[in-house]
Amino acid sequence: MKGISYNYNNDTQYLSITVLPSEMEQDVDTQSIIDSLKDTPYADFYVSKRALKTTCDKANLAFKTGDTSAITAEIAQLRHAEVEFIISEDALSASLRLTAPYGGKMPNAITIRNLAYKNRIRRGVGLRHIEALLTEAAKVEPGDIVEGVIAKGLPAKNGKNSRFIPLVPNALERVLKPKTDDSSKSDLRNLGDIICVKVGTPVLRRTAPTQGRKGFDVKDTLLIAKPGKWLDFKMGMNTVVSDDDDNILIAKMSGMPKYHNLKMDIDETFICNGVNVGTGHVTYEGAILVNGDVAEKMIVKATKDITINGFVESAIIEAGGDIIITEGAMGKVVEDSEAFSCTLIAGGSIHIQHGQGIDLKAKGDITVARQLAYSRIHSGGGVTVGQLDKPMGNLFACDLTCQDKVEAGTLGAVAGSTLKVDFSPGLAVLTEKKDTIDDLLRHLRENNLRHKEKLALINQRLTHKDLASKVSEVKAMLHNETALLFWLEKKSLELQTRKDDYLANIKLKANKRLYSGVSAKLNNRNWRSERELERCEIRYDAHKWHYHPIID
């Protein structure tokens, strides 16, 4: 452009512009000068648009008035890359914020590492991360900012408390993990031996707590780990700490081991070779192990687990713990009533190989190894038909009430029999508890607010010394009331979380096929299959049942 020249000062690193109005042919503007700089060595300099506009205004005024005085001003500057370090609050990481240069130089990785050390970032710095940021900064426009983590500390890893390792398996764990044959296939007929321990048998081992691992932050400060603690044994029934080893729990009597909630019990066990008219009904305060079949119309009751290493036909089995039947159970519907001739009632879980025409009631999960049909099921957990890792069994012609997922290989049958699953009772219990808590909360909030207002009025007035003790009692009562309010609010949140989890967990899952006639119910929300479906899940979300195909 005529009448315009540039001069760069190496000392100040500023670029000056000189405008001669006498040589100008027309008015100059900011953008035209910026465009002209692109063809010069100063193309990447930082341009002060304010200074440039002021210069253009002065030059245009001089051009119009005929003033020939030269106009000089600093309008641009060479700027090197700007480096800023940011250390996290816990000092376990440090980031580099890099501003791309305006025509200036970019520091190398070694220089940045040295600068980081001066900024108290002395450990965990990665040159590879710095070089990656430098590469990225070289590609962006001048003045753009790139940022990333360049240093990481190692957090201290606290030690773990003592662990408790069962030395003998629960009966239910044994049957849910069948043995494998020579071809590595599961043999559902080989469920291992029924475990009964003798006096003095080690049943539970306590491991030593770990010391943890020390750590460090980016400032090279040592972070101390908190060592784990020794946990005491939760002494179960009929167990005692070994005299030879304080970390071993041994059986004090012969019986069946049961490990639950970090506690090992040895249940007194009644062992018999079958239950029939010759033995009579069996009722026992402890566990029962039946090495044989349970005949028709017989009754077996125990306060603990019942394990039947045989078949159950049209009998009543009732346990305070788990019920395990290694072969199967079968019954029939009693004429002129809805009762079943074969009933299994458990305070824990129920596991059978296969079942037909039975009434199952369990507070825990119900697992069936092969097939369950023409039965009524009430489960406080879920229902699984098949091996736990991938259930491929058959479930059809049943009425189910459960509180967790129902999973099998095949749900329903070709013949068109109905399979009904009702998830409503579990949600109703949670909803009732939640409503009760919320009702208490509403009244307690109102009372608490009113009491606080009354106490505030008392505190504003002069109180006779004879009433001081009464005021203190009122304050203590208000404190207790407030603590109760907080506890109820916490309980309300916990119940809401349980309701949300319940709705998220309930579903039907068919790993092979789902036939028509299968239905799911939650209160007044119903879903029914009208045709045969391949592998799929039926889930409840947003107040509706949804079909989702399973795709590998």
Side-chain angles (χ1 to χ4, degrees):
M1 297 178 66
K2 290 187 177 181
I4 295 176
S5 60
Y6 304 104
N7 180 52
Y8 175 67
N9 188 321
N10 285 321
D11 295 331
T12 63
Q13 297 182 338
Y14 275 98
L15 178 70
S16 300
I17 185 173
T18 300
V19 182
L20 300 175
S22 59
E23 298 181 8
M24 291 172 56
E25 295 178 344
Q26 59 183 9
D27 288 352
V28 293
D29 60 80
T30 301
Q31 190 58 46
S32 61
I33 293 178
I34 292 176
D35 291 341
S36 69
L37 284 174
K38 293 180 180 179
D39 298 327
T40 69
Y42 320 118
D44 291 332
F45 279 28
Y46 173 75
V47 177
S48 172
K49 292 184 178 180
R50 179 181 295 180
L52 185 57
K53 184 176 185 306
T54 300
T55 302
C56 290
D57 290 343
K58 289 181 180 180
N60 292 334
L61 179 61
F63 176 68
K64 292 176 181 177
T65 59
D67 187 352
T68 59
S69 301
I71 300 169
T72 302
E74 294 177 341
I75 61 166
Q77 180 187 18
L78 180 144
R79 290 184 178 180
H80 299 297
E82 295 181 5
V83 175
E84 181 182 359
F85 298 100
I86 303 166
I87 300 176
S88 62
E89 291 184 7
D90 57 9
L92 285 174
S93 66
S95 299
L96 169 66
R97 182 176 292 166
L98 198 60
T99 304
Y102 288 92
K105 297 179 180 179
M106 185 82 75
N108 58 34
I110 300 299
T111 301
I112 291 179
R113 186 183 66 180
N114 294 337
L115 288 172
Y117 190 86
K118 291 180 180 179
N119 283 270
R120 299 188 301 163
I121 304 173
R122 297 174 180 174
R123 193 167 181 184
V125 178
L127 280 176
R128 181 168 54 88
H129 300 301
I130 297 175
E131 289 169 352
L133 283 175
L134 289 173
T135 302
E136 184 180 353
K139 298 176 181 179
V140 302
E141 295 295 323
D144 286 353
I145 296 174
V146 294
E147 185 175 345
V149 175
I150 61 166
K152 290 183 179 179
L154 180 68
K157 186 177 181 180
N158 292 334
K160 295 181 179 178
N161 297 335
S162 300
R163 292 190 304 120
F164 298 98
I165 302 175
L167 302 179
V168 288
N170 289 344
L172 185 59
E173 293 175 355
R174 178 185 62 82
V175 299
L176 291 178
K177 294 181 180 179
K179 304 294 183 181
T180 56
D181 57 21
D182 295 336
S183 60
S184 299
K185 293 183 178 180
S186 295
D187 183 0
L188 296 178
R189 295 177 178 82
N190 181 11
L191 300 175
D193 298 325
I194 298 293
I195 299 296
C196 277
V197 298
K198 297 180 179 179
V199 176
T201 302
V203 293
L204 188 66
R205 182 172 73 242
R206 177 178 62 180
T207 63
T210 61
Q211 295 300 310
R213 181 198 64 203
K214 295 180 180 179
F216 59 85
D217 61 19
V218 296
K219 298 178 182 179
D220 202 15
T221 302
L222 184 65
L223 305 178
I224 305 299
K226 184 179 179 181
K229 297 179 180 179
W230 281 99
L231 299 181
D232 295 331
F233 281 111
K234 290 183 178 180
M235 301 302 296
M237 293 189 303
N238 303 315
T239 57
V240 65
V241 177
S242 171
D243 294 333
D244 301 326
D245 190 344
D246 292 340
N247 294 317
I248 294 291
L249 206 64
I250 63 174
K252 194 164 60 174
M253 64 167 292
S254 298
M256 187 177 294
K258 179 71 176 289
Y259 184 68
H260 183 64
N261 290 336
L262 303 179
K263 185 174 71 172
M264 178 68 78
D265 293 323
I266 306 298
D267 296 334
E268 293 186 48
T269 306
F270 174 79
I271 303 176
C272 62
N273 295 321
V275 178
N276 47 49
V277 292
T279 63
H281 302 314
V282 177
T283 301
Y284 190 69
E285 291 284 335
I288 294 177
L289 171 59
V290 180
N291 288 319
D293 299 335
V294 178
E296 187 175 359
K297 296 184 179 179
M298 301 310 297
I299 299 174
V300 180
K301 292 185 179 181
T303 57
K304 300 295 183 180
D305 295 350
I306 295 178
T307 302
I308 300 172
N309 199 16
F311 190 82
V312 175
E313 181 179 358
S314 296
I316 297 175
I317 312 295
E318 187 172 344
D322 299 333
I323 293 176
I324 302 162
I325 302 174
T326 61
E327 291 190 9
M330 183 175 291
K332 55 189 176 181
V333 178
V334 179
E335 295 181 3
D336 301 326
S337 74
E338 294 183 357
F340 288 78
S341 62
C342 186
T343 302
L344 309 181
I345 303 173
S349 300
I350 294 177
H351 174 81
I352 58 177
Q353 278 293 98
H354 58 85
Q356 180 171 316
I358 55 179
D359 189 4
L360 298 97
K361 299 176 182 178
K363 290 185 178 180
D365 296 329
I366 293 177
T367 55
V368 183
R370 297 179 185 176
Q371 177 173 292
L372 182 61
Y374 302 104
S375 300
R376 182 170 60 198
I377 300 103
H378 293 266
S379 172
V383 176
T384 304
V385 183
Q387 296 187 43
L388 289 182
D389 55 349
K390 190 173 182 181
M392 299 299 286
N394 303 317
L395 176 63
F396 60 92
C398 295
D399 286 342
L400 289 87
T401 301
C402 57
Q403 300 180 23
D404 207 332
K405 69 176 180 179
V406 175
E407 183 174 4
T410 301
L411 295 176
V414 179
S417 59
T418 60
L419 175 66
K420 300 177 182 178
V421 184
D422 189 356
F423 296 100
S424 305
L427 182 63
V429 171
L430 291 174
T431 301
E432 183 180 359
K433 290 180 179 179
K434 179 74 165 54
D435 291 344
T436 301
I437 292 291
D438 288 345
D439 190 49
L440 287 172
L441 265 176
R442 184 172 60 256
H443 291 295
L444 192 57
R445 284 194 187 105
E446 295 173 357
N447 293 338
N448 188 255
L449 180 61
R450 186 170 64 254
H451 294 160
K452 284 182 178 179
E453 292 173 350
K454 295 293 184 182
L455 187 59
L457 289 174
I458 293 173
N459 291 331
Q460 291 174 3
R461 299 176 180 177
L462 292 175
T463 306
H464 193 276
K465 61 181 181 179
D466 293 339
L467 297 176
S469 61
K470 294 292 185 183
V471 173
S472 298
E473 289 179 9
V474 170
K475 289 181 178 180
M477 291 174 63
L478 180 61
H479 176 76
N480 293 335
E481 184 183 61
T482 303
L484 177 60
L485 178 62
F486 288 154
W487 182 84
L488 286 174
E489 288 175 342
K490 182 180 178 182
K491 279 295 178 184
S492 179
L493 291 174
E494 289 177 358
L495 285 170
Q496 184 60 50
T497 301
R498 288 176 61 187
K499 282 185 64 177
D500 294 340
D501 292 342
Y502 185 92
L503 294 175
N505 292 334
I506 58 173
K507 63 181 176 181
L508 305 180
K509 184 175 182 181
N511 293 315
K512 285 197 295 188
R513 194 170 290 105
L514 187 148
Y515 288 99
S516 63
V518 177
S519 63
K521 178 183 178 183
L522 182 66
N523 295 337
N524 60 348
R525 303 292 181 179
N526 296 283
W527 179 90
R528 181 181 172 86
S529 173
E530 300 296 340
R531 61 185 178 88
E532 184 178 326
L533 302 170
E534 293 299 320
R535 304 172 58 202
C536 63
E537 288 185 350
I538 310 301
R539 305 178 198 155
Y540 188 83
D541 184 41
H543 308 289
K544 291 182 180 179
W545 290 102
H546 300 272
Y547 160 77
H548 297 275
I550 298 176
I551 302 174
D552 291 332

